[in-house]
Amino acid sequence: MGKVKGKSGPLARRPDNSAFKQQRLPAWSPMLTANTVLPFFYLMALICMLLGVWLLLTVQSTQEIKLDYTEAGTCDICFEKRKNVSNAAQTCTCTVVFPIKKALKGDVFFYYGLQNFHQNLRRYMDSRDDGQMVGRKTNLKNPSSYCEPFTKNQNGLPIAPCGAVANSIFNDSFTLTYHGSSGPSIRVPLLRKGITWYTDKNVKYRNPKNDNMTLAQVFEGTAQPLYWQKPVYELDPLDPTNNGFINDDLIVWMREAAFPNFKKLYGVLYRASQPFTKGLPAGNYTINISYNFPVQYFQGRKEVVLTTLTWFGGQNHFLPVAYLVTSCLILLIAILLTVAWWKFGKNGKRMEE
């Protein structure tokens, strides 16, 4: 059977004569007049200003103490010692004394910070094996090529965990001591577990199945990263359940920072005993530092940060300042529009007149 020919001619492609296709549906078009636009601008400026002031007061309610210990106290000796690579295996401890003039109330978080360390370089971020970190035994003995040149040691043994990220783990350790006005010095208790995200601890990082073997036996036939002082299954000698790929410090470090200046959580104040039930009391404090991480090679600095947090987080002024600047800009535009309307349009005159 032959095909029915459609319409031809200049009207063949004309849309149907319907309200939708001929664009005759009812519509509402706002009339942008001075009486509607100017109040809107002033209202937006007011809203942004109130949000900015509210967030700024919230941020300023947090208490934060930063202490650069790169060369502070007796750490200048360790700083010079770490300049020589041949001293990398030698231990070095130092002490920094600092005061807290106003008590830090509530939960207090202990961070370590690095400056000028670029964890956001693509080659550095790719230098890891997520299959190995999730506990796959095939990847444990055969690391991904992305980990090059940190896949095997000089004896040909596979490195676990492999890659530049794990190899460069921050390995300074801290002990904080409180010296009250009366009584003996008290070591500040820090919770060193539970500082990771749930998804990291239970999804992204898992130890290989042990099959009734010890963790050391599971990792038998592998080597520790080149710059590590001990294997991955001995990272926490005080807590056997915090070893291997599920070690909290390792997981925190493996979450790369977006900027070259960053801080990472080291511990949280344990407030179960006096005098720390309400936070860190005012007084003199001492930090004993096991100084291992060298920063001279990238012109970096190291610091510790003691801070309280609010629902908004820590001391970050970017968003409050952004709201306040936006409010000022909107208010300036509103004033300019008001002046223009007052001068040219208030009496019905047109701008071109």
Side-chain angles (χ1 to χ4, degrees):
M1 296 177 63
K3 295 182 179 180
V4 177
K5 293 184 179 181
K7 296 180 180 180
S8 61
L11 302 179
R13 302 182 63 182
R14 184 178 64 180
D16 295 338
N17 187 21
S18 63
F20 177 76
K21 293 188 176 181
Q22 294 298 335
Q23 301 184 13
R24 295 196 300 266
L25 290 175
W28 175 75
S29 180
M31 299 297 294
L32 300 179
T33 64
N35 293 331
T36 57
V37 173
L38 292 179
F40 175 77
F41 270 82
Y42 284 111
L43 178 62
M44 290 302 299
L46 178 62
I47 292 174
C48 290
M49 183 174 295
L50 291 176
L51 284 174
V53 171
W54 178 42
L55 293 177
L56 186 61
L57 293 175
T58 302
V59 169
Q60 291 181 340
S61 67
T62 62
Q63 298 172 273
E64 184 176 275
I65 297 176
K66 287 186 177 182
L67 179 65
D68 187 324
Y69 71 91
T70 311
E71 300 174 82
T74 60
C75 293
D76 55 342
I77 301 174
C78 296
F79 179 80
E80 295 296 327
K81 189 174 184 178
R82 291 294 175 239
K83 286 183 178 180
N84 192 341
V85 181
S86 61
N87 297 329
Q90 300 179 18
T91 60
C92 187
T93 58
C94 59
T95 303
V96 179
V97 180
F98 68 98
I100 293 183
K101 298 179 180 179
K102 185 178 179 181
L104 302 180
K105 297 181 179 180
D107 292 329
V108 180
F109 297 82
F110 189 112
Y111 292 86
Y112 64 85
L114 286 176
Q115 296 181 15
N116 204 37
F117 190 93
H118 293 262
Q119 272 197 318
N120 56 355
L121 294 177
R122 180 182 177 186
R123 182 67 186 91
Y124 178 89
M125 296 179 68
D126 287 343
S127 185
R128 57 189 294 166
D129 188 347
D130 291 328
Q132 186 186 64
M133 301 300 294
V134 84
R136 296 174 185 167
K137 289 191 175 181
T138 54
N139 296 73
L140 183 66
K141 299 297 179 66
N142 297 284
S144 169
S145 59
Y146 283 102
C147 289
E148 291 288 352
F150 304 103
T151 53
K152 297 182 179 180
N153 68 355
Q154 57 185 2
N155 297 324
L157 292 176
I159 295 176
C162 70
V165 183
N167 186 64
S168 61
I169 188 174
F170 185 85
N171 55 351
D172 285 5
S173 57
F174 310 93
T175 301
L176 186 62
T177 305
Y178 169 62
H179 308 282
S181 57
S182 60
S185 300
I186 305 173
R187 179 174 176 175
V188 179
L190 293 177
L191 293 173
R192 299 280 287 112
K193 287 188 65 177
I195 59 176
T196 59
W197 296 353
Y198 175 84
T199 51
D200 286 344
K201 191 78 172 182
N202 298 277
V203 180
K204 293 181 64 177
Y205 299 90
R206 291 197 296 268
N207 284 327
K209 293 182 179 180
N210 52 27
D211 296 328
N212 296 325
M213 296 187 297
T214 64
L215 202 58
Q217 292 174 328
V218 172
F219 283 94
E220 186 177 358
T222 65
Q224 67 193 50
L226 303 180
Y227 296 155
W228 283 27
Q229 298 174 345
K230 48 190 174 182
V232 68
Y233 51 85
E234 294 180 356
L235 290 178
D236 191 349
L238 301 178
D239 187 356
T241 64
N242 192 34
N243 282 313
F245 296 148
I246 59 173
N247 177 265
D248 283 46
D249 290 330
L250 175 62
I251 293 175
V252 169
W253 177 258
M254 294 294 289
R255 192 187 312 126
E256 297 95 341
F259 299 101
N261 300 337
F262 59 86
K263 66 178 185 287
K264 291 178 181 286
L265 187 59
Y266 182 80
V268 183
L269 175 65
Y270 184 56
R271 299 166 54 191
S273 59
Q274 293 288 348
F276 307 111
T277 54
K278 296 182 179 180
L280 281 180
N284 293 320
Y285 288 81
T286 299
I287 297 184
N288 296 316
I289 304 167
S290 178
Y291 201 106
N292 300 308
F293 194 84
V295 294
Q296 297 89 341
Y297 309 110
F298 55 91
Q299 291 81 48
R301 308 291 296 180
K302 298 191 289 187
E303 64 183 6
V304 294
V305 181
L306 294 170
T307 182
T308 59
L309 298 180
T310 64
W311 63 268
F312 186 67
Q315 274 200 359
N316 189 339
H317 291 82
F318 174 77
L319 195 58
V321 172
Y323 270 114
L324 292 175
V325 171
T326 303
S327 173
C328 293
L329 292 177
I330 296 175
L331 183 60
L332 179 61
I333 294 173
I335 293 173
L336 292 176
L337 290 176
T338 303
V339 171
W341 170 72
W342 187 274
K343 187 174 182 180
F344 299 105
K346 188 171 184 295
N347 296 324
K349 299 179 181 178
R350 296 186 176 275
M351 296 291 291
E352 60 270 14
E353 292 178 352

